[in-house]
Amino acid sequence: MIASRTAIRPPRRIPWPALVALAYAVAQLALVVPHLGLGWDETVYLSQVDPHRPAAYFSAPRSRGISLLAAPVLAVTDSGGGTVLRVVLALLSAAALYAAYRVWQPLLGPGRTALAALLFAGLWTTLLYGPQAMPNLWVALSAVAAVGWFLRAARPPVGRRALLGLGATVAAATCFRFSDGVWLALPLLAACAIVPAWRRPAPALAVAGGFAVGGAEWVAEAYARWGGIGARLHLSSTTEGGMGTHWVGGMAWRSLNGPLLCRPCHHPLTHPELTLWWLALPVLALIAWVLAWRARRDAVILLPIACAATLSIPYLVLIDYSAPRFLLPVYALLSLPLAALAAHTARAIRPPRARALAAGLAAALLALHLAAQYEVLDRNTAAARATAARYRTAAHDLRRLGLTPPCLVSGEHAPPIGYDAGCASANVGGNNRDITAPALLRRATREPTAALARTGSGPPHYARTWTPHRLPGTGLTAYVQKPSTSGRGTLMAAPPPPGVLADVAPPLDHYGG
């Protein structure tokens, strides 16, 4: 008799990282996408690649990575970045979340990796900016993947896949935001020089090469538009209000639950009980570092903490305003050591009853944290929706007043309102100055032009003789100048004067940041 053999297959592991990414996509599609209009900065980024609308002024600090990401969607739809773009970005950001944290699975294990992804994906800022055409979330995910690939590439033997992944993710972070690419590359290159085990040319070349590729467009544009890297950096500093030593940790804390742009930052802290997680972050990161050092696994924990620290420098030390989205790369990187710390704590509890009690308590705390994040998300989504509605209302009223393409909008909130109306935008003063008053007046003789001002503040000096029209529900008055009967010409705006930039919107109703 021949005994039958039964193949015993090992049980399939639950794909927790994939489930976290799926939940992230569903949460965006349910909680954010249906309620979110386009913000100020989004219209600037999208207008650069929208074939149906004029490009808004693109200032020195900006990078074009997010515009390139949105370009294929705008090329096949004329919705101007509506629901289709939101859905595509939500799905892409969920896929990028999975891909970025999946790099860490061989380093931390699937459970810790999934927990880290959940900690980051559960933040209201991560949910809110997932479907938005804004660069910060994409820098965050690129940084997570870059640090993971670096650690894998630093292990002998060095694999080609790890080096390619390292170079590509550093390039992506730099392409999305050049300055963040600098602060990401610096600690990685320093690690190659300081840590004896990592003193290999291949990882350093991958980091340097990725930074060069990702920053090539930014550098080329610096020479083409501003006369060089130094000039562009100087203008970027001017736009940001003067880069220098400014401790803005208090501002970052006060704006943690909104507003989405704290400039000027005179807003009181709302619901401080919802910010306890933020105050605990540095303490928990330090504990994770100490424990990893004792266990001689400090590289996997220390490097993401070091990169998080350098990426926080420009937003906590060098500028004098804040926005919750600025620190997304920091949160993404710190989620990794926090997940490792949680796993270490769970293993340290020996008695089964105590471990079960601790697990239940941890689950309850996580649920409360996610519920608090949802509360803040709901409030900020409502504020963003109201702001976008005012932009759309103003654009609709301008079209009713005769502003149809080609047309020009200047003054308060000109970029987002002009984008919604299909008009070009320009300003003669402030950080958005990109045209002179005589050039604007010449354009006004050839195409419908509106100058927007807060109701009650009076018209801009160049529009004193134009016809005023209140725009109900927006707090704005449009001063409209119709073109002369000689027809519409094609006179272009004068280039912006040297030393003048256009990156910062008026503080009120500006939720894009």
Side-chain angles (χ1 to χ4, degrees), residues 389-406:
R390 288 194 288 271
Y391 291 157
R392 289 194 300 269
T393 299
H396 172 77
D397 288 345
L398 290 180
R399 288 192 295 268
R400 180 177 52 82
L401 293 172
L403 267 80
T404 56

Side-chain angles (χ1 to χ4, degrees), residues 41 45 62 120 124-126 129 134-137 139-140 177 179-180 240 248 251-252 255-256 259-263 278 308 310-332 503-504 510-513:
D41 292 88
Y45 287 119
R62 297 187 187 272
F120 180 61
W124 72 264
T125 42
T126 310
Y129 287 103
M134 296 290 287
N136 307 82
L137 176 67
V139 172
R177 194 158 182 83
S179 59
D180 286 346
E240 302 292 359
V248 295
M251 296 183 187
S255 67
L256 188 61
L260 296 178
L261 180 68
C262 199
R263 186 178 190 179
W278 194 82
T310 58
L311 282 164
S312 70
I313 289 175
Y315 304 115
L316 293 180
V317 178
L318 298 182
I319 60 176
D320 62 351
Y321 66 100
S322 187
R325 65 182 173 87
F326 288 169
L327 295 179
L328 276 172
V330 177
Y331 304 149
D503 189 46
V504 181
H510 174 195
Y511 76 82

